[in-house]
Amino acid sequence: MKAIVIEGFGDPADTIQLKDMPEPPPPAAGEVTVEMLVLNINPSDLLQIQGLYGVSKPPLPFIPGGEAVGRVSAVGEGVKGLAVGDIVSPMILNCWVERVNIKSSLAMKLPAGIDLKQASMLKGNPATAVALLNDQVVLKPGDWLMQNAANSAVGTFLVKLAAQRGINTLNVVRRDSAVEGVKAAGGTAVLADALDDARAFRKRVREATGGADVKLAIDAIGGAATGVMANALADGGTIVNYGLLSGEQCRIDAQHLIFRKVTLKGFWLIHWFQEAGRERLAETYATIAKGMADGTLTTPVAELIPMAEAKRAMSAAGEGGRAGKVLMTTLAFGFTVGNG
């Protein structure tokens, strides 16, 4: 079978290797074999391959990929609730492989009719959006939040979840061509703004919201953008940073923290996994899976690229200006949808 292997950190398109690996043995007691179908490529994957993600680098060599959807192809002794053919989300961090044995408790069963492309994105981005919306600031229907990178996968999910709750969203994108897509997803207001002029941005926010207080800002960019968004927050507001798309650390003027009582927080989904508890996780993912199955909680897909062309997939995923996610497909996916 094939797996994507990293033996040295660097540019993903240059660094990744598609290697032949031994087939997994028959699953042991309590295990299942998962045959991967669609592999998601997240910014965190690209950063990890560069050695820039988290507080430490993974030991080399390693198989990357934090997210995928697969099908159970074999079941070990004593496994209950899973059968061959079930579609599952593997709750592991080394997903870019054709087949793998995992504990049955780490194979989350999904609705039979779920779209496989959407299901490959279930674990990370929508859960991040749920946690950013629900766990940071108490918001009521009619309240406002703002976010940058609003046309990203997390941004799209957050727009849809907020709209379902009657929460207004002020959404910032980098280019005019992205505005209509965010509006179509349910964004209350959408601004194309470079986030390089704090005073001008504050004025635009007040105009877009009718002067309403914005209590929460979601920041995926970091760098100067953090401070620009903080300047447009209401006094006592909270800005939550969950990414550094700028490649720079968050920069925020101390006056916002000291005199305006603005709070700057960081968010990492791994910590949320550890703190949420089994019941909350099950409830969250059941809701997300239902939304994906009925089409109310989806995000655009820009391109499906075969795993055999993984280098091209890395380049495509790293490019700006895309109108959706870049996903990789295995040979098994082709057979699943009748293309093999």
Side-chain angles (χ1 to χ4, degrees):
M1 68 169 187
K2 298 291 186 181
I4 292 173
V5 179
I6 306 301
E7 295 183 339
F9 299 106
D11 182 272
D14 297 329
T15 301
I16 65 167
Q17 300 183 56
L18 191 63
K19 289 201 162 189
D20 289 315
M21 303 285 284
E23 288 282 350
E31 290 185 340
V32 295
T33 302
V34 176
E35 183 175 50
M36 299 299 187
L37 302 172
V38 185
L39 315 175
N40 188 11
I41 307 172
N42 284 313
S44 56
D45 298 315
L46 301 180
L47 288 170
Q48 186 184 56
I49 292 168
Q50 296 173 71
L52 302 175
Y53 188 68
V55 296
S56 61
K57 298 178 182 180
L60 296 168
F62 71 97
I63 295 172
E67 209 167 6
V69 64
R71 177 179 52 213
V72 175
S73 60
V75 176
E77 182 180 353
V79 171
K80 297 180 180 179
L82 290 172
V84 171
D86 283 346
I87 300 300
V88 296
S89 177
M91 307 299 279
I92 59 173
L93 295 176
N94 309 99
C95 291
W96 291 357
V97 61
E98 287 188 311
R99 284 169 290 281
V100 64
N101 288 345
I102 63 175
K103 294 179 180 179
S104 61
S105 60
L106 298 178
M108 182 171 61
K109 186 175 178 179
L110 302 177
I114 196 168
D115 181 283
L116 294 175
K117 299 183 294 296
Q118 296 298 323
S120 73
M121 300 180 275
L122 179 144
K123 184 169 63 177
N125 292 323
T128 296
V130 168
L132 289 172
L133 181 63
N134 294 345
D135 295 0
Q136 311 304 317
V137 172
V138 176
L139 296 174
K140 306 182 301 295
D143 284 344
W144 282 87
L145 67 82
M146 65 178 165
Q147 64 165 338
N148 54 33
N151 57 324
S152 67
V154 171
T156 300
F157 284 123
L158 195 147
V159 164
K160 293 184 176 183
L161 290 165
Q164 291 170 9
R165 290 180 46 187
I167 295 169
N168 295 309
T169 56
L170 186 144
N171 302 280
V172 185
V173 296
R174 294 186 180 184
R175 60 188 193 281
D176 291 333
S177 60
V179 170
E180 289 305 317
V182 178
K183 285 183 178 179
T188 314
V190 188
L191 306 177
D193 197 294
L195 294 174
D196 55 4
D197 187 326
R199 289 186 178 181
F201 179 68
R202 181 180 176 86
K203 181 180 178 181
R204 295 191 72 188
V205 169
R206 293 191 64 80
E207 291 172 349
T209 63
D213 286 343
V214 179
K215 300 179 179 181
L216 173 64
I218 307 298
D219 173 31
I221 297 176
T226 307
V228 172
M229 294 186 75
N231 189 60
L233 271 176
D235 288 359
T238 298
I239 184 164
V240 183
N241 173 266
Y242 73 97
L244 298 173
L245 293 178
S246 66
E248 300 177 0
Q249 300 302 313
C250 297
R251 299 203 300 274
I252 181 171
D253 196 308
Q255 66 169 320
H256 300 307
L257 305 177
I258 298 170
F259 302 117
R260 298 185 54 235
K261 298 181 70 175
V262 168
T263 299
L264 173 62
K265 299 170 60 177
F267 175 85
W268 192 29
L269 188 63
I270 299 299
H271 291 157
W272 183 80
F273 280 148
Q274 296 167 347
E275 297 165 1
R278 184 179 297 272
E279 184 175 336
R280 174 77 192 284
L281 289 173
E283 176 186 345
T284 298
Y285 281 113
T287 300
I288 293 169
K290 181 179 181 297
M292 287 184 166
D294 65 22
T296 60
L297 195 60
T298 59
T299 192
V301 175
E303 192 172 5
L304 291 175
I305 298 178
M307 184 181 181
E309 301 176 37
K311 288 183 178 293
R312 181 167 75 86
M314 297 301 108
S315 294
E319 292 175 355
R322 289 181 286 104
K325 293 287 290 184
V326 175
L327 308 175
M328 290 187 289
T329 57
T330 66
L331 286 175
F333 173 79
F335 294 122
T336 300
V337 298
N339 294 331

